[in-house]
Amino acid sequence: MNKYLVFLEQRDGIVKKASIDAWNRVQELARLQPYAVVSGIIAGMADIRQLDGSITGDGVIFFAKNESLNRYNQEYYTRLVSDIFQHEACDALYFADTAMTRDLAPRLSVRLQASLLAGIPVVDGEAAGSCRRPVYSGSLLATFVPRRENRIYILSSRITARPASSDGHIDFMDLAPQWLTAGDMFPVVRRLVMQKGSPDVAEADIIIAGGRGMGSAEGFVLLEQLASLLGGAVGSSRTVVDEGWRPHAEQVGQTGKTVTSSLYVACGISGAIQHLAGIGSAGIIVAINSDPHAPIFDVADYGIVGDVHVVLPKLFDSLKEFLKKK
Ligand SMILES: Cc1cc2nc3c(=O)[nH]c(=O)nc-3n(C[C@H](O)[C@H](O)[C@H](O)COP(=O)(O)OP(=O)(O)OC[C@H]3O[C@@H](n4cnc5c(N)ncnc54)[C@H](O)[C@@H]3O)c2cc1C
């Protein structure tokens, strides 16, 4: 029997879309096998009602409701997840690809003596837990075979459009780790909070992204206005981050974040392969670029050849007008 454990990451009490997607993908994998059990973990206080209708399949979700687990803490999270993994005699642990995962998963791979496979687009359940993933910015597909019995997979994002099926039954089991009763051993000295209201680019459904073609940091005001009108997030190319125009948290691509938005508007972005590596799971791609031969047009569903400083204000005005009438 295969036993899979999925980490459902919460932030501010909301389980991340990418984690829900990871759970559903592991359920799909379990369905293909005669005997497979899926369990989940939520660390910290989360509103589990939001999961109704979005998670599929059967299984148990261990719910460690404790204030000390609300924020990511390396020691607590490593201990919690490894305890459950070992206690439940699991074979494989699955994470969505998030900033927290990139810190936690390597720790767990040491603690659990597990093979760690990152950037996995498809959970295919091949023999011995092997899996395929693109390498060299997507130009080759490589098969990775884990050498250890315990495996940890970090699933790359995909579009979460797949509807959750209503069948199946999921139980929630409250956990109270005894070692947490000593109180918060790691007081938070300082917490840096992202600008209020701006969604995380990895979670946003609409992204208005800018590249060097925006001309300057000030040029991004246009993108901020458009993103706020549509309730989306601002994304950036690496060049823009290197220039210091935008924070790294907004960077999309191979060394930035992978996005799963249903709409991605690329403004003044050339479409380098490293940037495209982050938008392969985006839905509709709209490109605005003054160069008709820019590679971004090869992947765009809609393209506008023009100067962003001319096109964007017009786009903003017409969208505003359109939304007012709705
Ligand atoms: C190992 C490695 C990892 C990398 N990781 C990433 C990554 O994660 N993400 C990433 O983005 N890049 C990454 N890069 C960098 C990548 O190769 C490109 O250099 C970068 O994406 C280019 O950014 P850009 O499109 O903003 O700039 P440019 O390539 O300079 O393109 C600017 C575009 O703007 C257009 N333009 C100029 N003026 C206007 C205007 N007024 N109106 C409209 N269009 C205009 C131009 O025609 C051009 O197409 C990585 C590179 C390496 C080597």
Side-chain angles (χ1 to χ4, degrees), residues 212 237-239 251-252 254-255 268 270 274-275 289 307-308:
R212 200 203 299 270
S237 71
R238 174 162 153 178
T239 309
Q251 186 184 313
V252 175
Q254 187 185 323
T255 45
S270 58
Q274 295 89 355
H275 188 82
N289 199 301
D307 185 334
V308 283

Side-chain angles (χ1 to χ4, degrees), residues 89-106:
C90 295
D91 311 289
L93 172 60
Y94 292 87
F95 286 95
D97 190 357
T98 67
M100 189 215 71
T101 295
R102 290 179 189 201
D103 188 72
L104 178 61

Side-chain angles (χ1 to χ4, degrees), residues 137 210-215 220 236-242 245 248 251-257 264 266-278 288-297 304-311:
S137 300
R212 200 203 299 270
M214 295 310 300
F220 275 75
S236 307
S237 71
R238 174 162 153 178
T239 309
V240 158
V241 174
D242 289 347
W245 297 352
H248 181 259
Q251 186 184 313
V252 175
Q254 187 185 323
T255 45
K257 291 182 177 167
Y264 188 82
C267 310
I269 293 178
S270 58
I273 192 158
Q274 295 89 355
H275 188 82
L276 301 185
I288 306 171
N289 199 301
S290 52
D291 174 6
H293 304 294
I296 190 75
F297 287 126
I304 301 172
V305 178
D307 185 334
V308 283
H309 301 102
V310 177
V311 175

